[in-house]
Amino acid sequence: MEKLKTALVLEGGAMRGMYTAGILDVFEKAGLEFDGIIGVSAGALFGVNYLSKQPGRVIRYNKRFNRDRNYMGLLPLLKTGNIIDTKYAYERVPRKLDPFDNVTYKKSKVPFYAVVTNVETGRAEYIRVKDVFKQMDVLRASGSMPFVSLPVKIGDNLYLDGAIADSIPYEHMLKLGYDRLVVVLTKDPGYVKKPINKLLAALKYRRRFPAFARAVADRHIMYNDEMDRLNRLEKAGVATVLRPSRKVKIKKTETDPAKLQALYNVGVADGKNYLKKLRAGMKLETGNKIMTENRITEN
């Protein structure tokens, strides 16, 4: 009998991704394996650290650098057009200040996909990231929030935040042939996305990128539809969904280390609770192994 293939799906949410970071650190320390991973926005930026086997790195560098006004905030936005300084965040930090282990990442046989939104078409594209340093612009595009970021050029096209066109990209993994899903959400249970001001989207993007302007204006419809379908997949046993078990008030550009740590801690607790369920008799089948209680180590 052919083994089931399990995909890990990581929602974005800017600094709400500290929740995801906590869960991933628990999973990595436990040796949990997946057959494929897809991340969007912060889910992509933080998710690559899972395959580089660097637990603790995401919470560490965000607590260290988010408070630096040259790293994130109004100053880089005014100077560069990006709320996060590109050279600081995507070159200095991963290459020198808190090095990303690209060697270990490239050795992984697990495919990792990042979602980006083509601003010309307004549609999602899914790019496999084989080399983080060579494809840093893919990750940067995935996490470049509209209104506070400039489009990122990749090849001949311009891209922004992947979450605009596909916020929870589980369907792409099902299309690729994965049988089961483990989905990490960053919103509280029962969250319903509300529409943004359509005039704001039109004023910013309609002249140059009308398709992207429509995608921004209609994102709440796309998101809520994705949640409805995901809920059905969860009830059918196809998807396991992890959501924050406790509400932590946090801004998209949060700089308070205590708040970042608090949300990370919720992710750690929820990740450990998920592993307890596995130890109690649940199993996660992957192409490499089946995780059962006697193959998961304590943290």
Side-chain angles (χ1 to χ4, degrees), residues 47 51 60 66 74 79 82 84 86 94 104 152 181 190 198 210 212-213 221 225-226 238 246 251 262 269 277:
L51 296 184
R60 181 176 64 242
N66 282 13
L74 184 60
K79 288 174 62 177
N82 295 298
I84 296 178
T86 298
T104 297
V152 179
L181 307 165
K198 292 188 177 183
F212 185 75
I221 299 172
D225 284 347
E226 286 190 341
V238 175
R246 183 169 64 85
K251 296 181 294 185
K277 292 179 180 179

Side-chain angles (χ1 to χ4, degrees), residues 41 67 79 83 121 132 136 151 164 179-180 200 220 223 231 268 283 286 293:
S41 196
R67 291 175 292 175
K79 288 174 62 177
I83 198 166
T121 66
V132 166
M136 189 64 78
I164 297 301
D179 306 286
R180 297 180 62 180
L200 183 63
H220 64 291
Y223 185 92
N231 289 335
V268 169
K283 65 181 180 180
T286 76
E293 63 175 309

Side-chain angles (χ1 to χ4, degrees), residues 4-7 178-182 237-238 240 283-285:
L4 297 178
K5 293 172 60 180
T6 300
Y178 293 89
D179 306 286
R180 297 180 62 180
L181 307 165
V182 174
V238 175
T240 297
K283 65 181 180 180
L284 174 65
E285 294 186 12

Side-chain angles (χ1 to χ4, degrees), residues 10-15 17-18 20-21 24 37-52 54 57-59 61-62 71 84 89-90 94 100 105 112-115 129 132 135-145 149 161-162:
L10 308 174
E11 184 184 15
M15 288 304 114
M18 288 302 106
T20 303
L24 293 185
I37 303 175
I38 191 167
V40 58
S41 196
L45 290 166
F46 298 163
V48 291
N49 294 271
Y50 191 68
L51 296 184
S52 70
Q54 291 178 280
R57 181 175 180 270
V58 172
I59 183 64
Y61 78 73
N62 279 280
Y71 178 83
I84 296 178
Y90 297 101
F100 176 80
Y105 178 89
F112 188 100
Y113 301 91
V115 187
V129 180
V132 166
Q135 296 177 273
M136 189 64 78
D137 281 348
V138 173
L139 296 173
R140 183 163 68 91
S142 185
S144 289
M145 296 181 290
S149 305
D161 190 349

Side-chain angles (χ1 to χ4, degrees), residues 105-225:
Y105 178 89
K106 290 191 295 182
K107 288 180 180 178
S108 173
K109 296 181 180 179
V110 179
F112 188 100
Y113 301 91
V115 187
V116 294
T117 299
N118 186 312
V119 297
E120 294 282 357
T121 66
R123 295 178 180 175
E125 295 182 17
Y126 309 87
I127 302 174
R128 182 173 175 180
V129 180
K130 297 181 180 180
D131 185 316
V132 166
F133 286 158
K134 288 183 178 180
Q135 296 177 273
M136 189 64 78
D137 281 348
V138 173
L139 296 173
R140 183 163 68 91
S142 185
S144 289
M145 296 181 290
F147 303 108
V148 292
S149 305
L150 297 175
V152 179
K153 189 172 184 179
I154 304 172
D156 295 327
N157 299 313
L158 296 173
Y159 297 91
L160 279 170
D161 190 349
I164 297 301
D166 192 350
S167 294
I168 315 168
Y170 57 87
E171 288 189 343
H172 182 71
M173 300 307 273
L174 293 175
K175 289 177 182 177
L176 289 180
Y178 293 89
D179 306 286
R180 297 180 62 180
L181 307 165
V182 174
V183 182
V184 180
L185 302 179
T186 57
K187 310 295 194 303
D188 299 321
Y191 173 83
V192 176
K193 184 170 284 296
K194 298 178 181 179
I196 70 160
N197 187 321
K198 292 188 177 183
L199 178 60
L200 183 63
L203 289 174
K204 178 68 176 179
Y205 295 111
R206 187 171 61 184
R207 175 174 289 184
R208 288 190 63 198
F209 309 117
F212 185 75
R214 288 192 296 272
V216 172
D218 294 339
R219 186 188 171 197
H220 64 291
I221 299 172
M222 175 273 297
Y223 185 92
N224 295 330
D225 284 347

Side-chain angles (χ1 to χ4, degrees), residues 16-29 46 55-56 58-59 184 260-261 263-272 299:
R16 287 191 295 267
M18 288 302 106
Y19 176 75
T20 303
I23 285 181
L24 293 185
D25 284 355
V26 171
F27 283 4
E28 200 282 325
K29 290 177 181 178
F46 298 163
V58 172
I59 183 64
V184 180
L260 296 173
Q261 185 70 51
L263 185 54
Y264 173 85
N265 290 345
V266 175
V268 169
D270 289 356
K272 289 182 176 181
N299 293 314

